[in-house]
Amino acid sequence: MRPSRRAAEEMRAVSLERRVSKYAEGSCLVRFGDTQVMCLASVAEQVPPWLRGGGRGWVTAEYGMLPRSTGDRMRREASQGKQGGRTMEIQRLIGRSLRAVVDLKALGERQITVDCDVIQADGGTRTAAITGAWVALHDALEWMRARDIVKAPVLTDHVAAVSCGIYRGEPVLDLDYAEDSDAETDANFVITGSGNLVEVQATAEGKPFSEEELMALMGLARKGIGRLVDLQKMAVE
């Protein structure tokens, strides 16, 4: 039995709330159960120096956890003078995931930065951030299209992410913290709406896992991504 009493294929309650920021061009508050992430997309009429003159834009992300997003207060990374390795890995993952479904040439020489701040963490913060960041990015692009800043379609597909794992010998979908901290295998899947893989992260926390177990996790992830993409479609209609 899972700690949440969910079935193996059952996700936590997921919600995508748009337009939660007065100032950001695109915004989404995403909830995966008790995990909550604020995603804010900002448009800038410039690109990094190494892209200037190339006629292509850029989409990037920044990620952080608020001091009381967990049980004990943590220090802000800014107060420590540097970002941790986990933070850098996650924000790079979010950026890669979004760029996988963006036509950077159609965006033009502009940059969109999606800030993903974890308000409350209960497992799956990176997967929630990617799923909500897509909605914030979508709305930022719609803001640009309404002002004739972009004309050609920029988004090429949906992208969402979900965690899976082997918990007490059973493959399960969408791990919360209680499961994630005790899972035998932990995996994150980033998949597009058309079903193509963007990234797979899978780690044995104890004994190695088999190819059959990996495929079982993949099957669960595809079901979860299908539900998340349906929610994205409903959110932006």
Side-chain angles (χ1 to χ4, degrees):
M1 179 65 69
R2 303 177 69 176
S4 63
R5 307 188 71 82
R6 287 180 285 142
E9 298 183 359
E10 186 179 354
M11 293 187 64
R12 293 172 287 179
V14 177
S15 67
L16 299 164
E17 183 180 354
R18 297 165 67 201
R19 303 189 181 106
V20 292
S21 170
K22 178 178 179 179
Y23 302 109
E25 285 79 22
S27 59
C28 177
L29 175 60
V30 55
R31 297 180 178 90
F32 276 38
D34 287 335
T35 290
Q36 301 179 33
V37 184
M38 179 73 79
C39 304
L40 305 177
S42 302
V43 178
E45 286 290 330
Q46 58 184 358
V47 291
W50 51 274
L51 275 175
R52 288 175 190 163
R56 296 165 63 86
W58 192 244
V59 176
T60 188
E62 293 190 10
Y63 168 95
M65 296 181 66
L66 298 186
R68 277 313 303 266
S69 58
T70 59
D72 297 317
R73 186 186 187 278
M74 67 182 74
R75 289 180 62 193
R76 296 181 190 273
E77 289 185 324
S79 70
Q80 302 176 52
K82 64 177 182 178
Q83 290 182 311
R86 176 182 180 274
T87 296
M88 294 179 67
E89 179 229 335
I90 292 175
Q91 64 189 28
R92 289 171 179 166
L93 170 64
I94 299 168
R96 288 194 302 271
S97 301
L98 297 176
R99 289 193 297 274
V101 293
V102 169
D103 183 340
L104 295 175
K105 187 174 182 179
L107 179 58
E109 290 199 27
R110 303 173 183 90
Q111 176 168 293
I112 300 177
T113 302
V114 185
D115 291 289
C116 300
D117 290 299
V118 178
I119 299 171
Q120 186 167 275
D122 187 38
T125 61
R126 73 186 68 192
T127 56
I130 291 167
T131 304
W134 183 92
V135 175
L137 176 63
H138 171 278
D139 283 2
L141 291 168
E142 286 298 296
W143 180 92
M144 296 171 72
R145 186 185 61 80
R147 290 157 179 78
D148 291 324
I149 299 172
V150 293
K151 292 181 171 56
V154 177
L155 274 178
T156 61
D157 203 345
H158 291 255
V159 69
V162 73
S163 64
C164 297
I166 299 175
Y167 179 75
R168 296 185 179 177
E170 182 180 17
V172 295
L173 177 64
D174 187 26
L175 280 64
D176 56 25
Y177 179 77
E179 293 171 326
D180 186 38
S181 61
D182 197 33
E184 298 150 41
T185 298
D186 180 28
N188 297 298
F189 295 85
V190 185
I191 304 177
T192 66
S194 56
N196 292 318
L197 297 171
V198 176
E199 191 147 342
V200 177
Q201 302 174 334
T203 305
E205 301 293 347
K207 67 177 183 179
F209 55 92
S210 67
E211 183 176 343
E212 289 75 17
E213 288 173 322
L214 178 61
M215 290 302 99
L217 296 177
M218 176 78 74
L220 287 175
R222 289 195 176 280
K223 291 179 181 179
I225 295 294
R227 295 168 195 161
L228 293 172
V229 168
D230 285 344
L231 287 172
Q232 287 177 335
K233 290 177 179 178
M234 292 172 60
V236 301
E237 283 181 354

